[in-house]
Amino acid sequence: MTLAALTLALVGGLASSGCDSASAYEQLSGEQIYARLCTQCHGTEGRALHGRGGSYLGKRKYWTRATLLEYLEDPQAYKRKAPHLSAAKYMPPLNRYVPPAARERLVGHVLGLMDALEAGRR
Ligand code: HEC
């Protein structure tokens, strides 16, 4: 097999495996995407697991749909604009295969979790 043919075979194999293609996220709700990509650090309610991820408690005031979308795209870069975030903690960027409409659903779910934690505090 030539190198070009081998490369084509590899690329074709990755594309058709489909485990992380945009279409996988198009069908999922914000909650389902959150369960897949975020709960391992933040927990289903956003309280954070074992001190790993940032807890969402008391954080609602820092975020809008627009700033949250921007943050998820590149958390390290956004940190410079958000003094409440910790310089010592690492938050990975959102999987680039998540398409725009699915990002909107995800952000809606995250803000809903923040609202719920806020309401529980009162
Ligand atoms: C590998 C662990 C990990 C994963 C996976 C992860 N996060 Fe985070 N996240 C963190 C950490 C750690 C912080 C705290 C970062 C800081 O303080 O700078 C954070 C911070 C945040 C914040 C800011 C909270 C605040 O303090 O205002 C939001 C919002 C957030 N994550 C949402 C998400 C979403 C949505 C996903 C899934 C797409 C996700 N995270 C996936 C570890 C993670």
Side-chain angles (χ1 to χ4, degrees):
M1 215 195 254
T2 66
L3 185 60
L6 187 65
T7 305
L8 275 179
L10 276 174
V11 169
L14 283 177
S16 62
S17 73
C19 59
D20 252 347
S21 67
S23 60
Y25 294 100
E26 255 151 32
Q27 313 301 326
L28 299 180
S29 70
E31 185 173 8
Q32 287 167 325
I33 298 169
Y34 186 82
R36 196 183 266 208
L37 300 177
C38 320
T39 49
Q40 71 266 36
C41 292
H42 289 284
T44 41
E45 293 174 3
R47 291 178 185 277
L49 299 177
H50 320 299
R52 285 174 75 188
S55 166
Y56 299 158
L57 184 63
K59 306 296 171 56
R60 181 62 182 87
K61 62 177 180 277
Y62 297 115
W63 301 106
T64 64
R65 293 187 80 94
T67 58
L68 202 45
L69 280 170
E70 189 186 337
Y71 176 64
L72 294 180
E73 184 96 16
D74 190 348
Q76 292 305 112
Y78 189 84
K79 218 175 248 195
R80 289 191 283 272
K81 299 193 226 172
H84 85 280
L85 295 172
S86 154
K89 292 187 183 154
Y90 177 74
M91 156 78 187
L94 179 60
N95 182 317
R96 66 192 171 87
Y97 289 108
V98 181
R103 285 174 186 240
E104 291 282 352
R105 293 196 293 277
L106 172 64
V107 161
H109 181 69
V110 173
L111 291 176
L113 291 178
M114 289 180 179
D115 283 337
L117 287 174
E118 211 70 32
R121 244 186 355 172
R122 277 177 213 126

Coordinates of all heavy atoms in Angstrom, one line a residue, residues 37-38 40-42 52-54 56 59 63 68 71-72 79 84-86 89-92 94 106 110 114, ligand 1:
L37 N -19.9 15.0 28.7 CA -18.6 15.7 28.6 C -18.2 16.5 29.9 O -17.1 16.9 30.1 CB -18.6 16.8 27.5 CG -18.8 16.3 26.1 CD1 -18.9 17.4 25.1 CD2 -17.7 15.3 25.7
C38 N -19.2 16.6 30.8 CA -18.9 17.5 32.0 C -19.0 16.9 33.4 O -18.4 17.3 34.3 CB -19.8 18.8 31.9 SG -20.0 19.4 30.2
Q40 N -18.1 14.2 34.7 CA -17.0 13.5 35.3 C -16.2 14.5 36.2 O -15.5 14.0 37.1 CB -16.1 12.8 34.3 CG -15.2 13.7 33.4 CD -15.9 14.0 32.1 OE1 -17.1 14.2 32.0 NE2 -15.2 14.1 31.0
C41 N -16.2 15.7 36.0 CA -15.5 16.7 36.8 C -16.5 17.5 37.7 O -16.3 17.8 38.8 CB -14.7 17.7 36.0 SG -13.3 16.9 35.3
H42 N -17.7 17.9 37.1 CA -18.6 18.9 37.7 C -19.7 18.2 38.5 O -20.4 18.9 39.3 CB -19.1 19.8 36.7 CG -18.1 20.8 36.2 ND1 -17.7 21.9 37.0 CD2 -17.4 20.9 35.1 CE1 -16.8 22.6 36.3 NE2 -16.6 22.0 35.1
R52 N -12.3 18.3 42.3 CA -11.6 18.4 41.0 C -12.1 19.6 40.1 O -11.3 20.4 39.7 CB -11.9 17.1 40.1 CG -11.1 15.9 40.6 CD -11.6 14.7 39.8 NE -11.0 14.7 38.5 CZ -11.4 13.8 37.6 NH1 -12.3 12.9 37.9 NH2 -10.9 13.8 36.4
G53 N -13.4 19.6 39.9 CA -13.9 20.7 39.0 C -14.3 21.9 39.8 O -14.5 21.8 41.0
G54 N -14.6 23.0 39.1 CA -15.2 24.2 39.8 C -16.6 23.9 40.1 O -17.4 23.4 39.3
Y56 N -20.4 25.1 40.7 CA -21.2 26.2 40.1 C -21.9 27.0 41.2 O -22.6 28.0 40.9 CB -22.3 25.7 39.2 CG -21.8 24.9 38.0 CD1 -22.6 24.0 37.3 CD2 -20.5 25.1 37.5 CE1 -22.1 23.3 36.2 CE2 -20.0 24.4 36.4 CZ -20.8 23.5 35.8 OH -20.4 22.8 34.7
K59 N -22.0 30.9 41.4 CA -21.3 31.4 40.2 C -22.2 32.0 39.1 O -21.8 32.6 38.1 CB -20.5 30.3 39.5 CG -19.5 29.6 40.5 CD -18.5 30.5 40.9 CE -17.6 29.9 42.0 NZ -17.0 28.6 41.7
W63 N -22.0 34.8 34.8 CA -22.2 34.2 33.5 C -23.5 34.6 32.8 O -24.5 34.7 33.4 CB -22.1 32.7 33.5 CG -20.9 32.2 34.1 CD1 -20.7 31.6 35.3 CD2 -19.6 32.2 33.5 NE1 -19.4 31.3 35.5 CE2 -18.7 31.6 34.4 CE3 -19.1 32.6 32.2 CZ2 -17.3 31.4 34.1 CZ3 -17.8 32.4 31.9 CH2 -16.9 31.8 32.9
L68 N -20.5 32.4 28.6 CA -20.3 31.0 28.8 C -19.9 30.2 27.5 O -19.0 29.4 27.6 CB -21.6 30.3 29.4 CG -21.5 29.1 30.2 CD1 -20.3 29.1 31.2 CD2 -22.8 28.8 31.0
Y71 N -16.3 31.1 27.1 CA -15.5 30.4 28.0 C -15.2 29.0 27.6 O -14.1 28.5 27.6 CB -16.1 30.5 29.4 CG -15.4 29.7 30.5 CD1 -14.1 30.1 30.9 CD2 -16.0 28.6 31.1 CE1 -13.5 29.4 31.9 CE2 -15.3 27.9 32.1 CZ -14.1 28.3 32.5 OH -13.4 27.6 33.5
L72 N -16.3 28.3 27.2 CA -16.2 26.9 26.9 C -15.3 26.6 25.7 O -14.6 25.6 25.6 CB -17.6 26.2 26.6 CG -18.5 26.2 27.9 CD1 -19.8 25.5 27.5 CD2 -17.8 25.4 29.0
K79 N -10.0 33.1 31.1 CA -9.6 33.3 32.5 C -9.0 34.7 32.7 O -9.2 35.3 33.8 CB -8.5 32.3 32.8 CG -8.5 31.7 34.2 CD -7.5 30.6 34.3 CE -8.2 29.3 34.5 NZ -7.2 28.3 35.0
H84 N -12.5 35.8 39.1 CA -13.0 34.8 40.1 C -12.5 33.4 39.8 O -12.5 32.5 40.6 CB -14.5 34.9 40.2 CG -15.2 34.0 39.2 ND1 -15.4 34.4 37.9 CD2 -15.7 32.8 39.3 CE1 -16.1 33.4 37.3 NE2 -16.3 32.4 38.1
L85 N -12.0 33.2 38.5 CA -11.5 31.8 38.2 C -10.1 31.6 38.8 O -9.4 32.6 38.9 CB -11.5 31.6 36.7 CG -12.9 31.6 36.0 CD1 -12.8 31.6 34.5 CD2 -13.7 30.5 36.5
S86 N -9.8 30.4 39.0 CA -8.5 30.1 39.7 C -7.4 29.9 38.7 O -7.5 29.1 37.7 CB -8.6 28.9 40.5 OG -7.4 28.2 40.7
K89 N -6.2 26.1 38.4 CA -7.0 25.0 38.0 C -7.2 25.0 36.5 O -7.2 26.0 35.8 CB -8.4 25.1 38.6 CG -8.3 24.9 40.1 CD -9.7 24.8 40.7 CE -9.6 24.7 42.2 NZ -10.8 25.2 42.9
Y90 N -7.3 23.8 35.9 CA -7.4 23.6 34.5 C -8.8 23.1 34.1 O -9.2 22.1 34.6 CB -6.3 22.7 34.0 CG -6.5 22.4 32.5 CD1 -6.1 23.4 31.6 CD2 -7.0 21.3 32.0 CE1 -6.2 23.3 30.2 CE2 -7.2 21.1 30.6 CZ -6.8 22.1 29.7 OH -6.9 21.9 28.4
M91 N -9.4 23.8 33.2 CA -10.7 23.4 32.6 C -10.4 23.2 31.1 O -9.9 24.1 30.4 CB -11.6 24.6 32.9 CG -12.8 24.7 32.0 SD -14.1 23.5 32.4 CE -15.2 23.9 31.0
P92 N -10.7 22.0 30.6 CA -10.5 21.7 29.2 C -11.4 22.4 28.3 O -12.6 22.6 28.7 CB -10.6 20.2 29.1 CG -11.6 19.8 30.2 CD -11.3 20.8 31.3
L94 N -14.2 22.9 25.3 CA -15.3 22.0 24.8 C -14.8 21.3 23.6 O -14.2 21.9 22.7 CB -16.5 22.9 24.6 CG -17.7 22.2 24.1 CD1 -18.2 21.2 25.1 CD2 -18.8 23.2 23.8
L106 N -26.4 23.1 25.6 CA -25.5 22.8 26.7 C -25.4 24.0 27.6 O -25.6 23.8 28.9 CB -24.1 22.4 26.1 CG -23.0 22.3 27.2 CD1 -23.3 21.1 28.1 CD2 -21.7 22.1 26.5
V110 N -26.4 24.3 31.6 CA -25.4 24.8 32.7 C -26.0 25.9 33.5 O -25.9 25.9 34.7 CB -24.0 25.1 32.1 CG1 -23.1 25.7 33.1 CG2 -23.4 23.9 31.5
M114 N -26.9 26.2 37.5 CA -26.5 27.3 38.4 C -27.7 28.0 39.1 O -27.6 28.3 40.3 CB -25.7 28.4 37.6 CG -24.3 27.9 37.1 SD -23.5 29.2 36.2 CE -21.9 28.4 35.8
Ligands
HEC1 C1 -11.3 17.6 33.5 C2 -12.2 18.2 34.4 C3 -13.3 19.1 33.8 C4 -14.2 18.8 32.7 C5 -14.3 17.6 31.9 C6 -15.0 20.0 32.6 N1 -14.6 21.0 33.5 FE1 -15.5 22.8 33.8 N2 -14.1 23.2 35.2 C7 -13.1 22.4 35.6 C8 -12.3 23.1 36.6 C9 -11.1 22.5 37.3 C10 -12.8 24.4 36.7 C11 -12.3 25.6 37.5 C12 -11.5 26.4 36.6 C13 -11.0 27.7 37.2 O1 -11.3 28.0 38.4 O2 -10.2 28.4 36.5 C14 -14.0 24.5 35.8 C15 -14.8 25.6 35.6 C16 -16.0 25.6 34.9 C17 -16.9 26.7 34.9 C18 -16.7 28.0 35.6 C19 -17.3 27.9 37.0 C20 -17.0 29.2 37.8 O3 -16.2 29.1 38.7 O4 -17.6 30.2 37.4 C21 -17.9 26.3 34.0 C22 -19.1 27.1 33.7 C23 -17.6 25.0 33.6 N3 -16.4 24.6 34.1 C24 -18.4 24.3 32.7 C25 -18.0 23.1 32.1 C26 -18.8 22.4 31.1 C27 -20.1 22.9 30.5 C28 -18.1 21.2 30.8 C29 -18.5 20.2 29.8 C30 -18.5 20.6 28.4 C31 -16.9 21.2 31.7 N4 -16.9 22.3 32.4 C32 -16.0 20.1 31.7 C33 -12.9 21.1 35.2 C34 -13.6 20.5 34.2

